[in-house]
Amino acid sequence: MSQPEHQAFDVVDPDETNRPGAAPDQAQRAQNFDDSSGPLFFMYRKMAEEEDDKMAERWQKDADGILIFTGLFSAAVAALLAVTVLDLKQSPQDTSAFYLEQIYQFQVLADSNASRPSTPVKPPSFSAPKYSIWVNSLWFLSLAISLTGAMLATLQQQWARRYLRMTQPPRSSPHERARMREFFANGVVKLRSAWVVEAVPTLIHISLFLFFAGLLVYLFNTNHTVFISVACWVGVSGAIYILIAFMPIIRLDSPYRAPLSSPACRASAGILYLLFGILGFFVFASEATRTRFRDKSNHYRKWVSRGVKKMTEEVVRESSSEIDGRVLKWTFDTVTKITNERSSLRRSQASVTRSRSRIPKAFWLSLAM
């Protein structure tokens, strides 16, 4: 989406505020600009607006992707539900077939002069298959969660636009814009807006898991060959997803993660914390072994309390010297590459210039004519 337009501030002439007819708000703006803290507020506003524009753009792009996916996914689930929902209620064709069969039997009995049943025969009570109940429950729940995620994505777009509108009011001084921005930015932090934004993709992933579960149940009761082929693919995809979700705890520098990575890492770290804590008090182990177990327990306790981001920052601080060496090496290599490319470009331009100088002027005059 396009970046929001920023309106320029009015530059107020201090002499105009001395006139008797000067507006009060104009005088207030001039006072703010004359204040010694004006440059500081102006600097804060510029830096804060850059950060806010990036955050709003990120929120809106994430919401756009979610809305596109949920639209296609919900349409596919709804098409399948239109077929499977019929299994939850008795079909009128089955009732008609039952009565036609009874009429036929009565006709056969009448032709053979046999005795007819004294009580009327009623169709058996309908009971939906258990697998059909499971399939429709999983798919309807998947559809409901997917639509909920789409609604939250729409709200996310509205939140981003409203945040920019409230924090960047037009025709206001840097003091006012800075105060408005800080007021709403504090609400974004205190109300955990980042967590809410991260929860929307999590809902979409949960709805996809429920859909696959219902699909496997449906195919298992339909055709075993198709079920095996789809189950193999779902199993491989599920294993890859689990690996991606737990990748941050395996390698902190991994760029791969999933919306469920943070809770998955905390849960696994909590389990390892309890496990090594219990092993640390194992009486049959040596003191050195128990010390290692307790150290491991304390290590994973930090994971539980701080999370992946804080642990990554701690590891980066501990490895600052090695990382600084890589930073300098990358900077040197990049500068060398740019310098070589510029030298090559200058040599090429010089070669073209020399080649053109060797061509007689009569040739260029003939082209011009």
Side-chain angles (χ1 to χ4, degrees):
M1 298 184 66
S2 61
Q3 292 290 341
E5 297 180 357
H6 302 286
Q7 299 188 12
F9 293 122
D10 294 337
V11 179
V12 181
D13 186 1
D15 295 335
E16 295 181 359
T17 61
N18 296 327
R19 297 200 307 266
D25 58 339
Q26 192 176 16
Q28 180 65 32
R29 289 200 298 269
Q31 180 182 357
N32 288 337
F33 274 106
D34 291 340
D35 189 3
S36 60
S37 63
L40 178 62
F41 277 90
F42 185 80
M43 184 185 302
Y44 169 85
R45 177 186 66 81
K46 294 294 291 183
M47 293 187 296
E49 286 183 0
E50 290 179 2
E51 293 296 326
D52 292 343
D53 291 341
K54 292 179 182 179
M55 181 189 70
E57 182 182 8
R58 184 172 63 252
W59 286 10
Q60 293 184 7
K61 286 185 177 180
D62 291 346
D64 290 340
I66 290 172
L67 289 173
I68 294 174
F69 176 79
T70 52
L72 299 174
F73 178 69
S74 299
V77 177
L80 291 173
L81 282 172
V83 177
T84 59
V85 73
L86 301 176
D87 298 334
L88 296 178
K89 58 182 180 179
Q90 189 173 11
S91 175
Q93 296 179 356
D94 295 338
T95 305
S96 300
F98 173 80
Y99 283 116
L100 288 175
E101 183 180 359
Q102 295 301 318
I103 293 173
Y104 174 76
Q105 291 180 359
F106 283 147
Q107 186 65 34
V108 172
L109 293 176
D111 294 341
S112 61
N113 295 325
S115 59
R116 299 179 181 179
S118 58
T119 57
V121 180
K122 296 182 179 181
S125 59
F126 174 75
S127 179
K130 290 185 177 180
Y131 85 90
S132 180
I133 296 175
W134 274 101
V135 170
N136 284 275
S137 298
L138 292 171
W139 282 357
F140 270 112
L141 185 58
S142 174
L143 180 62
I145 294 176
S146 176
L147 295 177
T148 303
M151 181 190 67
L152 291 177
T154 304
L155 290 175
Q156 181 177 321
Q157 291 181 329
Q158 296 176 354
W159 296 338
R161 290 192 294 266
R162 181 180 182 273
Y163 179 81
L164 291 180
R165 187 172 62 252
M166 298 301 295
T167 58
Q168 301 177 13
R171 301 185 64 83
S172 59
S173 68
H175 294 71
E176 295 170 349
R177 296 185 74 155
R179 291 163 188 155
M180 288 291 291
R181 190 268 171 187
E182 183 59 30
F183 179 78
F184 283 98
N186 182 65
V188 169
V189 175
K190 292 292 182 63
L191 297 178
R192 307 289 186 181
S193 298
W195 290 11
V196 177
V197 173
E198 289 290 334
V200 179
T202 304
L203 291 178
I204 305 303
H205 287 210
I206 293 174
S207 66
L208 191 61
F209 297 153
L210 294 174
F211 171 77
F212 280 134
L215 181 64
L216 293 178
V217 175
Y218 178 77
L219 293 178
F220 180 79
N221 292 273
T222 303
N223 188 287
H224 281 191
T225 303
V226 179
F227 165 76
I228 292 173
S229 60
V230 175
C232 291
W233 175 255
V234 173
V236 172
S237 302
I240 295 174
Y241 185 90
I242 292 174
L243 179 62
I244 292 174
F246 285 94
M247 185 63 73
I249 201 173
I250 301 174
R251 284 185 62 107
L252 286 173
D253 58 347
S254 171
Y256 309 113
R257 69 180 305 275
L260 298 176
S261 292
S262 296
C265 289
R266 285 182 180 269
S268 59
I271 295 173
L272 293 173
Y273 161 67
L274 295 176
L275 177 62
F276 284 112
I278 295 172
L279 294 176
F281 293 97
F282 195 63
V283 296
F284 297 102
S286 62
E287 182 62 28
T289 304
R290 284 185 291 174
T291 301
R292 286 198 302 270
F293 286 151
R294 285 195 291 267
D295 292 341
K296 285 284 187 181
S297 178
N298 293 329
H299 172 73
Y300 287 110
R301 180 178 58 82
K302 294 180 181 179
W303 275 86
V304 177
S305 59
R306 300 180 183 179
V308 177
K309 183 178 179 181
K310 294 295 183 181
M311 291 299 299
T312 304
E313 293 175 355
E314 182 178 346
V315 171
V316 170
R317 284 194 299 268
E318 294 175 353
S319 307
S320 58
S321 58
E322 178 185 354
I323 296 175
D324 291 345
R326 295 204 301 266
V327 168
L328 295 175
K329 182 180 182 302
W330 181 88
T331 305
F332 177 77
D333 293 342
T334 304
V335 171
T336 303
K337 180 180 179 182
I338 294 174
T339 303
N340 293 334
E341 290 177 353
R342 290 179 178 177
S343 301
S344 177
L345 180 61
R346 284 195 296 267
R347 288 194 298 270
S348 299
Q349 292 175 348
S351 176
V352 171
T353 303
R354 287 194 300 270
S355 300
R356 293 183 62 179
S357 63
R358 296 191 185 99
I359 300 176
K361 292 184 179 180
F363 176 77
W364 299 109
L365 292 175
S366 62
L367 291 179
M369 295 175 60

